Each structure stands twice: as C-alpha cells, then as structure tokens.
Amino acid sequence: MFNNAFHFLNNLKENNNRDWFADNKSTFETAKNDALKSFNEIYNDLSSANDTLEPLKVFRIYRDVRFSHDKSPYKTHFSMYFGRLKPNYRGGYYLHIEPGDKSFIGVGFFDPNKEDLLRIRKEIELDDELQIILNTKELKQFFPKLEGDELKTAPKGFDKTHQRIDLLRKKQFLLMHKLTDKEVLNAAFNKKVVTAFKAAQPFIDYMTDVLTTNLNGEKE
C-alpha cells in the first residue's frame, strides 16, 4: 500500500530541496500514485453507499512558504480530505500518512465559524447527547476522546461550573486516531480506515443535526 510512499517520504525528509526532488521525480510519481490508489479505494468504499459526500481532495506535496519561517519546499506527508455536502450535511474526514508513527485519522469540525460554535455550545449546554455518543464503545475504540483547541475558561455567557464545561470550552470538535507505521503498511489498512470513519458516523450525524436546526429542533 504505502511502502513506496514511506520510502520516498523518508528520503525527502533528509533531502528537502528542489534539486533532489527534480532528480527523484519519477520516484515521487510512483509513491504518489500508490497513495492515490489507497485514497481512492477508501473514498469509493465509503461513498458507494453514501450520497452525502463531497468529492475527494488530495493535497499537493508542495508547501506554501510565503508566510512560513520554514522554507522547506515540500511536505513530508501525503494526505486526503473529503467533506459532506453542504448545506444539509456537515463535517469532514481526513487521512494523514507520514512515516515515523506520525500518521493519523481525523474526523470532525476543524474551524467552526462564530455562529456554528455558539449553536454547538448551546446544544451541549442543554443536553448530554454528545457526551453519550463520545462514550460509546464503538466510537471509543478508535477515538478515545474529543480533541481540538479550547478556551482556558468558560466561553462568554456560559456557566464555568457547568457539568459539561470541558465540552463547552472546545473551539474545535475533532476525533483523532493515531497510527503506527506498522498499521499503515498492513494489507488491511484501507479497511481499518473505513471502519474508523464509519465508527465516527453517529458523532458526525449529531453535529449535523445540531448545525442544521434551531434550539427547538426545527430545520432552518
């Protein structure tokens, strides 16, 4: 699956410059095509019975260095993303492939706007459904806790002693599953990613329901 990708990325990490990349362009193309094959297999497996998904997006290896102190021209990972069709569906799925046990699966809401963030917090304030979903066995086997940036104290207008203050402080709502190199190189890896994405479905569905209805549960 990702053997060629790992081999190329490990070498790229030690030779992150345009001359080396140009000399090894054919090796890059082989590694990229192998990664694309797996990415497409994962996406096609999920989308075959799911008409809520946006098209697959595979990120380019070239870095935008205009505003970065790190001027290395290339990323040392391959990654893919696909969201859900807006406005009726929300959330997204991400897969990051990087040797050195740095690969991971990500699901959720990376950058909610101000209005969406308030709507999510209001729902968390009212009931414990999100907490119940996060504690289900099926989800926790892949995603042990909710990740993401958070405030140091309660958001404005919310009780700092609220029983779900840990969720109310969140600014991002992300599920992450870290992957070892051994897992990524396993022949059953694609199926594992699909299974993890499916395990996160109740979380994605809940957040979608919240973000597409008002506090009375009515579609907006």
Side-chain angles (χ1 to χ4, degrees):
M1 296 289 181
F2 289 100
N3 298 72
N4 288 325
F6 269 23
H7 178 72
F8 173 79
L9 291 170
N10 276 320
N11 287 331
L12 176 61
K13 187 175 181 180
E14 301 300 322
N15 303 276
N16 202 328
N17 61 78
R18 290 180 175 82
D19 289 342
W20 182 90
F21 192 87
D23 290 341
N24 292 271
K25 191 67 178 292
S26 62
T27 307
F28 162 67
E29 292 295 340
T30 299
K32 181 184 74 172
N33 289 335
D34 284 357
L36 283 173
K37 183 179 179 181
S38 284
F39 290 162
N40 277 294
E41 285 180 1
I42 291 166
Y43 177 77
N44 290 337
D45 193 338
L46 283 164
S47 62
S48 62
N50 190 336
D51 59 1
T52 71
L53 302 181
E54 295 175 341
L56 173 67
K57 177 179 181 180
V58 178
F59 294 96
R60 289 162 53 86
I61 200 166
Y62 307 98
R63 295 184 64 246
D64 183 354
V65 300
R66 292 174 298 172
F67 309 107
S68 174
H69 292 297
D70 179 4
K71 299 301 181 183
S72 302
Y74 307 106
K75 301 171 186 174
T76 54
H77 64 269
F78 290 117
S79 58
M80 73 171 203
Y81 173 84
F82 52 92
R84 302 178 81 209
L85 292 169
K86 299 177 182 62
N88 295 322
Y89 301 94
R90 303 292 184 89
Y93 304 80
Y94 178 78
L95 176 61
H96 181 105
I97 300 297
E98 183 174 1
D101 293 341
K102 294 181 179 179
S103 302
F104 65 90
I105 297 166
V107 181
F109 302 79
F110 179 76
D111 189 25
N113 61 41
K114 182 179 179 181
E115 292 75 19
D116 283 353
L117 189 54
L118 178 60
R119 177 68 186 90
I120 294 167
R121 285 171 171 163
K122 284 291 186 182
E123 194 71 26
I124 292 170
E125 183 182 44
L126 284 174
D127 64 56
D128 62 354
E129 186 174 352
L130 176 58
Q131 195 165 53
I132 291 172
I133 291 170
L134 294 173
N135 285 328
T136 58
K137 180 181 177 181
E138 293 77 11
L139 188 140
K140 285 183 77 71
Q141 67 175 323
F142 289 103
F143 309 105
K145 64 177 182 177
L146 188 66
E147 307 277 357
D149 293 342
E150 59 184 48
L151 300 171
K152 292 182 179 180
T153 186
K156 184 177 180 181
F158 291 85
D159 183 0
K160 64 181 181 181
T161 65
H162 192 283
Q163 60 182 331
R164 290 181 292 280
I165 189 61
D166 57 326
L167 296 178
L168 291 172
R169 291 203 311 263
K170 291 291 185 185
K171 296 190 292 183
Q172 299 173 313
F173 297 83
L174 303 173
L175 301 178
M176 295 182 66
H177 179 79
K178 295 181 180 179
L179 298 159
T180 65
D181 291 353
K182 183 178 180 180
E183 288 176 297
V184 175
L185 297 176
N186 188 285
F189 175 69
N190 289 357
K191 290 183 179 179
K192 177 170 186 172
V193 176
V194 170
T195 301
F197 281 155
K198 288 181 177 178
Q201 195 65 42
F203 165 73
I204 287 287
D205 288 342
Y206 166 81
M207 296 290 277
T208 291
D209 287 343
V210 169
L211 293 172
T212 57
T213 61
N214 60 29
L215 282 171
N216 293 321
E218 301 165 333
K219 287 288 184 181
E220 296 185 322

